[in-house]
Amino acid sequence: MRRFIGVVALMGALSGCQTTDLDPVPGLIVEPDADSRAALSEAVSNALDGVDVLLAPNALTESSVLILEQSHYRADENMHRQGRRLDQPEHFQLLFQGGACILVHKDSGQHQMLADTECKPE
Amino acid sequence: MTLRTHIPLEKATNTSQSAAGLCLAVALSLSACGGGNDGSPRDINRSSSEGEGWVKGEFLPADQFAHRCADPRTGSNYPDRAGSILDENNWLRSWVNDTYLWYDEVLDRDPGLYTETESYFRLLRTTERTESGRSKDDFRFTMPTHEYQAMAQSGVSVGYGIQWAIHSPTPPRDIQVVYVEPGSPADEAGVKRGQKLTAVNGLDVVHNNNTAALAIINAGLYPAQAGDNYELKFDGNLNADLTAEAITSSPVPIVKTFETESGTVGYLLFNDHTAVSEQALVDAITSLEGEVMDLILDLRYNGGGYLAIASQLSYMIADTRLTDGKVFEKLSFNDKHPDVNPVTDQPIRPMNFYSETVGLSAPAGEPLPSLQLSRVYVISGSNTCSASEAIINGLRGVDVDVILIGATTCGKPYGFYAQDNCGTTYAMTQFRGENEKGFGDYSEGFAPGSGAPGAVSLPGCSVRDDLRRQLGDPEEWRLAAALQYRESETCPTLSGGSGASMKGTVAPVEDGYIPRSPALQNRIMTGD
């Protein structure tokens, strides 16, 4: 089952000129379960070209911001890892809009609506 | 121009490279292989599809061989195209020659002789040793690119919430708990700092030398995925039935103060330079700002991470009159690239002490708090590494006094940009970090007191890790030593602590190896 419904385009057009229930606001996931966790993982991986991702079970339940960084560092000889990182982490934000949960990848601007997920304003 | 080749005889037996063999048989010159008459460096490390012609000491640009793969990946995400092992070896050879920090200490080897690229890569390195006798290049690895690119929520890894110290990976093995994440499965099962592991799923950890058993023990030490379940037995007769899960580790788990006769002293345990540590450190320093006249920064288990975090923390510790506009760390590449970063193609600009957040986890552009100190007490160990050492070096570069308590740091002033080619990610030392004064020569680490060969000696005390006490306990040996040194500039002789010593009077103390990544597997070995 496809866990996310699809890319949400033209989010700004939904908001109009005045604040309404459809205005996107930072959101939190409510009572995550296996389905919602799977939907979130799939959406995050999809935004990152399909890489494997590891998320905490309570991801996006306490903060609307989700930060990911490369997880696997090792050396095959003495096991020292990269200790001077110059790369950038990946940032996502969860938006709540009209009852929907929308995950935004900040670097690309990609929006995805999360299936099987209940949200509330942060 | 005639350049002698060094193609061994067996090359001529490889039908795909028969042209080269024929050239070798006829005349050992480039001109005989169709190049070199005009002085151009042709026929050097050609693709196998173009023939053979390795010439020692001559290198074509790595880009010419990049992504030409013996087994190219398919899909639009990959730049791979059909090639050969020789192409992949040629890419490694040219890439190493261009960007390896010690490229001029690498023995140039015929790329056509090696049928396994990772084996060839392992040979393209310096064989020099440091003053203490250890390998000069201890810092390279390869891994499948899809594994290297895997990502995790910042601060999250699969495990039980135990951080191990492996004092002896071979029989009799000595594996000890150094840290337990609060609220983790290990914490809830009663596992404590200092406990020694004796068995995994009933298999003796200390003496077992059976390969199959060790595979189970390693898997039990470092569970690969959430849901993995093992029974771990510890000394003190604790049996812990542990199920791995995605653990969220706090990078700054302890922030506290101690009231002393000479004023309030802050203590900050900083375990990992993750992205989320940016906000955690801002919060921690804010809570201490204006309250403390000294800081004890505990980096004993901090192996590094984002350099921008190290810069920010250093700024937040030091007197801003010392750090304003000053270099925290400048990257120095090999002498082929004095001005331009060979990986990013950008001019090399030093990283100054950041006075604002950079947006790793805190909002970007927020002014940082500062303790305004001219000295700092750093608790260190052999796992204090890289970006953690950059804090020490960066502060020393602007004349902040760094007093070291514990053991010699790991000695890694180096870094790299990992590079994918044909599905394998390669990493090797490409730059060295230097401070405001241009100093970056601490490959033997920073040592408290004197006595560690080659290490940079700092004032302080050589003191063992006190695994009987919790971190942050003022009776814990290293923290106690820091507090005492602050009062009297003397080091304690601690009862019950073999190896705990007055500064610089005995051999350096060791902490054991502490793996930090869930990818670190097979960390214990047979005694063979």
Side-chain angles (χ1 to χ4, degrees):
Chain A
M1 174 181 172
R2 196 163 178 79
R3 298 290 176 181
F4 57 88
I5 295 173
V7 175
V8 179
L10 302 174
M11 297 299 297
L14 295 173
S15 60
C17 299
Q18 61 184 31
T19 301
T20 71
D21 288 345
L22 291 179
D23 285 339
V25 296
L28 298 175
I29 291 176
V30 179
E31 297 181 1
D33 58 18
D35 287 341
S36 68
R37 291 186 184 110
L40 178 60
S41 291
E42 185 174 347
V44 170
S45 177
N46 182 60
L48 301 175
D49 294 328
V51 303
D52 293 338
V53 299
L54 173 68
L55 304 178
N58 65 346
L60 292 171
T61 61
E62 297 172 359
S63 168
S64 64
V65 175
L66 178 64
I67 304 169
L68 282 90
E69 53 190 84
Q70 280 190 300
S71 56
H72 290 197
Y73 291 93
R74 73 173 186 188
D76 57 1
E77 293 178 1
N78 76 344
M79 299 161 280
H80 281 290
R81 66 174 194 163
Q82 165 66 297
R84 263 181 173 73
R85 300 188 61 176
L86 301 167
D87 61 321
Q88 292 291 319
E90 300 284 347
H91 289 84
F92 293 83
Q93 181 158 38
L94 186 68
L95 298 179
F96 175 78
Q97 184 175 35
C101 309
I102 298 159
L103 186 70
V104 181
H105 181 215
K106 288 192 169 181
D107 294 335
S108 68
Q110 184 181 15
H111 289 57
Q112 296 177 75
M113 192 176 295
L114 299 177
D116 304 322
T117 306
E118 183 182 348
C119 293
K120 66 179 182 181
E122 184 175 27
Chain B
M1 180 178 69
T2 299
L3 296 175
R4 293 287 179 183
T5 63
H6 291 254
I7 302 172
L9 186 59
E10 57 265 34
K11 291 299 293 179
T13 64
N14 184 332
T15 54
S16 69
Q17 296 156 349
S18 57
L22 181 60
C23 284
L24 178 65
V26 175
L28 296 174
S29 71
L30 270 185
S31 57
C33 286
N37 285 337
D38 58 359
S40 61
R42 291 185 290 163
D43 288 335
I44 299 170
N45 33 12
R46 283 181 178 173
S47 164
S48 59
S49 62
E50 298 171 351
E52 169 61 40
W54 170 67
V55 179
K56 188 173 185 178
E58 298 285 340
F59 299 87
L60 292 175
D63 286 350
Q64 190 159 323
F65 303 103
H67 311 304
R68 298 173 67 154
C69 311
D71 184 17
R73 294 163 291 182
T74 57
S76 59
N77 288 341
Y78 302 118
D80 299 5
R81 53 199 169 115
S84 66
I85 294 292
L86 181 58
D87 288 320
E88 295 183 33
N89 287 352
N90 273 323
W91 174 80
L92 280 171
R93 176 176 177 267
S94 292
W95 178 62
V96 168
N97 182 260
D98 185 39
T99 69
Y100 185 44
L101 186 61
W102 302 293
Y103 76 93
D104 54 352
E105 297 173 15
V106 177
L107 177 65
D108 191 14
R109 298 171 187 269
D110 183 350
L113 289 180
Y114 300 90
T115 57
E116 209 272 314
T117 53
E118 293 183 30
S119 299
Y120 185 56
F121 180 58
R122 280 195 288 271
L123 294 170
L124 297 177
R125 67 192 301 169
T126 180
T127 56
E128 300 287 314
R129 295 198 169 270
T130 64
E131 186 176 335
S132 68
R134 77 184 196 192
S135 174
K136 184 175 179 178
D137 182 1
D138 257 351
F139 309 107
R140 67 167 50 194
F141 67 82
T142 62
M143 68 191 303
T145 295
H146 74 275
E147 288 183 21
Y148 184 79
Q149 292 178 333
M151 303 196 79
Q153 185 174 339
S154 183
V156 174
S157 60
V158 170
Y160 318 117
I162 297 175
Q163 197 168 324
W164 304 103
I166 301 177
H167 302 293
S168 172
T170 56
R173 292 188 192 84
D174 185 357
I175 302 173
Q176 199 165 14
V177 177
V178 296
Y179 185 74
V180 177
E181 192 68 37
S184 65
D187 186 33
E188 292 172 0
V191 180
K192 303 291 184 190
R193 168 177 162 86
Q195 286 184 309
K196 294 198 174 190
L197 183 68
T198 58
V200 173
N201 282 3
L203 299 166
D204 172 31
V205 165
V206 178
H207 301 290
N208 203 317
N209 229 13
N210 176 277
T211 301
L214 290 186
I216 294 171
I217 293 170
N218 272 311
L221 275 170
Y222 304 104
Q225 54 193 2
D228 287 358
N229 177 268
Y230 291 88
E231 184 179 81
L232 274 59
K233 186 174 182 180
F234 299 86
D235 59 357
N237 217 21
L238 172 68
N239 280 296
D241 184 12
L242 298 174
T243 300
E245 59 184 53
I247 303 288
T248 302
S249 301
S250 170
V252 189
I254 301 175
V255 184
K256 63 197 302 186
T257 57
F258 299 104
E259 300 301 329
T260 73
E261 291 181 0
S262 55
T264 304
V265 180
Y267 171 82
L268 192 158
L269 175 63
F270 178 33
N271 283 343
D272 208 347
H273 290 66
T274 54
V276 292
S277 70
E278 183 182 49
Q279 184 64 61
L281 287 167
V282 169
D283 293 343
I285 297 296
T286 299
S287 72
L288 299 175
E289 190 176 27
E291 302 295 323
V292 299
M293 55 186 306
D294 274 308
L295 177 70
I296 299 170
L297 177 63
D298 195 337
L299 298 175
R300 77 182 82 182
Y301 304 137
N302 194 322
Y306 285 106
L307 197 60
I309 295 290
S311 172
Q312 291 180 66
L313 177 56
S314 299
Y315 174 87
M316 289 190 281
I317 291 169
D319 185 332
T320 50
R321 292 172 297 183
L322 299 173
T323 55
D324 280 346
K326 298 291 178 58
V327 172
F328 172 69
E329 181 161 292
K330 180 181 179 181
L331 307 188
S332 176
F333 293 83
N334 69 37
D335 60 8
K336 295 180 180 182
H337 306 285
D339 302 314
V340 175
N341 182 321
V343 180
T344 66
D345 285 331
Q346 298 297 309
I348 299 171
R349 295 192 180 91
M351 177 186 286
N352 282 3
F353 288 85
Y354 288 137
S355 60
E356 298 178 342
T357 52
V358 299
L360 293 176
S361 59
E366 297 287 330
L368 292 170
S370 173
L371 300 180
Q372 301 286 348
L373 302 176
S374 59
R375 68 180 174 187
V376 62
Y377 298 82
V378 173
I379 293 180
S380 65
S382 53
N383 296 283
T384 304
C385 206
S386 206
S388 288
E389 293 175 296
I391 293 173
I392 297 169
N393 196 49
L395 289 172
R396 294 185 77 236
V398 293
D399 295 322
V400 172
D401 292 332
V402 179
I403 296 100
L404 210 57
I405 306 292
T408 304
T409 64
C410 89
K412 189 183 179 190
Y414 310 117
F416 59 80
Y417 293 87
Q419 179 72 48
D420 165 71
N421 194 53
C422 299
T424 298
T425 290
Y426 300 88
M428 63 181 179
T429 300
Q430 291 168 305
F431 60 82
R432 188 177 82 159
E434 298 175 350
N435 66 15
E436 168 74 21
K437 296 179 178 176
F439 180 77
D441 187 12
Y442 55 89
S443 60
E444 301 276 14
F446 294 100
S450 59
V456 178
S457 295
L458 301 184
C461 307
S462 178
V463 182
R464 288 187 68 180
D465 202 359
D466 181 1
L467 294 169
R468 301 173 307 173
R469 295 183 176 85
Q470 295 301 306
L471 297 169
D473 181 341
E475 299 299 317
E476 187 274 320
W477 290 342
R478 286 178 173 169
L479 179 49
L483 290 166
Q484 175 175 324
Y485 193 92
R486 178 181 170 273
E487 291 291 337
S488 61
E489 295 193 6
T490 63
C491 296
T493 300
L494 299 165
S495 60
S498 57
S501 66
M502 299 296 286
K503 60 178 177 177
T505 57
V506 297
V509 296
E510 300 289 346
D511 285 357
Y513 171 64
I514 301 177
R516 297 300 307 274
S517 164
L520 301 175
Q521 299 176 8
N522 302 320
R523 289 297 170 257
I524 66 171
M525 297 163 276
T526 69
D528 300 334

